[in-house]
Amino acid sequence: MGLGAGALPLSAAINWVIKDGFGQFGGVIYATMVGQKFDSDPKHQRFWSSVWLQTATWLEMLTPLFPQFFLIIGSVANIGKNIAWLAMSATRASINKTFCTKENLGDVTAKCGSQATAAGLIGTALGVVVGGTMDVSVHTLIVGFVPISLASLWGNYKSLLYTVTPTLNIERARLMLQDAIRVDNRGLVFSPEHVLSPRKVSRVEKFMREIHHVEPTGQMPGIVISANISKLERTLSWTHCNASVARMIGEAFQPQHVWNERYYIGRLSHPASSLYLWYDDRASDADVLLGFYHAMAYRRLLGARSPGDACIKSYVFARQTFAMVAK
């Protein structure tokens, strides 16, 4: 058939190189797309890295059953494993830092590595014992892997509940502030005692999915957050007419001549509209937090149906009490 003695080994070697190349290329693309999310949302990235790893491992176990699709299955599995290992490595420093009681990140990292190595050795030993005492087929391994994988994911999820993340994202900022901003007969009131601590937030936050905005609650509208006005316009152009969007943006720019802040809050004319928050390109971390705090207060006033201009009232309140939030 024209195949030399080294043709088959060479073909197999090329398949392995292609498979590994696709995997590494997929990891590079993933790192480029995710970027700063490893720092702002490490728990979400860490959990899903475990999901990708378990799924990729299970796919690899399917290759003996479908040898004709070895390259496709192996490449997809390798992409998943590279993404998983990259995400685990990128989030490890952020998560380990939360366990430091002083400047002992190296010590914590070393202990984390030792525990992972010990767990790997125990798992390998158990695998050797089971494999030596049972007639294990490929089908048995594939089926048996599923409950073990689910147990691993459950343990990972439970451990992340005890990880106190020092940074803020939309979900953590919402949980921290939602009970501290109240409305009574005097208007908006800030209650520092109701600000949730990072430890309490970590126990109730949702990190299994990415949260990009604040959901509506009762009479309170949601908050849709965009990094800049261009992104907001692209998002709204799919669901709203250009005239209403332009009117909202124009109204949001008007008070900034007086406020001189680096964020903008707008609202479309219909009553069920969410609040739209976007930022100037020069916005600092403090500007980002102030804008979100203002939007949360504005949202609370709208939910209470307070008379008067809710946007201006909530801005004055946010500026007067922001120092207590920022610390």
Side-chain angles (χ1 to χ4, degrees), residues 13-178:
I14 291 174
N15 278 346
W16 278 101
V17 170
I18 293 174
K19 175 179 72 72
D20 291 344
F22 273 123
Q24 293 172 8
F25 186 62
V28 171
I29 294 176
Y30 177 75
T32 303
M33 294 175 61
V34 173
Q36 295 181 347
K37 292 182 181 179
F38 290 128
D39 294 308
S40 63
D41 212 359
K43 294 168 76 168
H44 172 81
Q45 298 296 331
R46 181 65 181 83
F47 176 79
W48 281 102
S49 69
S50 297
V51 175
W52 306 141
L53 180 60
Q54 301 299 331
T55 304
T57 304
W58 187 76
L59 276 175
E60 279 188 329
M61 296 173 69
L62 295 178
T63 53
L65 301 179
F66 306 98
Q68 69 272 30
F69 300 116
F70 168 80
L71 184 58
I72 297 175
I73 297 175
S75 297
V76 173
N78 242 29
I79 290 173
K81 291 179 79 171
N82 274 275
I83 288 174
W85 287 116
L86 190 149
M88 286 180 181
S89 300
T91 56
R92 186 175 293 119
S94 297
I95 291 176
N96 286 349
K97 192 174 180 180
T98 66
F99 295 103
C100 296
T101 56
K102 48 186 178 180
E103 296 298 324
N104 62 330
L105 179 59
D107 181 36
V108 172
T109 303
K111 287 181 169 59
C112 177
S114 299
Q115 291 177 1
T117 302
L121 287 172
I122 293 172
T124 302
L126 288 174
V128 170
V129 171
V130 171
T133 57
M134 297 175 60
D135 183 16
V136 181
S137 65
V138 175
H139 295 84
T140 305
L141 287 175
I142 292 173
V143 174
F145 177 78
V146 174
I148 297 173
S149 177
L150 291 175
S152 174
L153 293 176
W154 179 82
N156 190 11
Y157 172 79
K158 295 296 287 185
S159 66
L160 288 172
L161 290 176
Y162 293 91
T163 302
V164 181
T165 310
T167 56
L168 289 176
N169 60 11
I170 295 173
E171 172 71 357
R172 287 194 291 274
R174 179 190 68 82
L175 290 170
M176 182 184 77
L177 293 172
Q178 66 178 358

Side-chain angles (χ1 to χ4, degrees), residues 253-294:
F253 273 103
Q254 287 177 3
Q256 289 299 349
H257 296 302
V258 180
W259 299 347
N260 196 29
E261 302 293 354
R262 292 179 177 174
Y263 68 87
Y264 306 91
I265 298 178
R267 190 177 186 224
L268 295 172
S269 55
H270 57 86
S273 171
S274 294
L275 298 177
Y276 294 91
L277 169 66
W278 68 97
Y279 295 92
D280 189 279
D281 292 336
R282 301 167 297 164
S284 64
D285 290 344
D287 294 323
V288 171
L289 182 57
L290 174 61
F292 185 80
Y293 181 46
H294 179 188

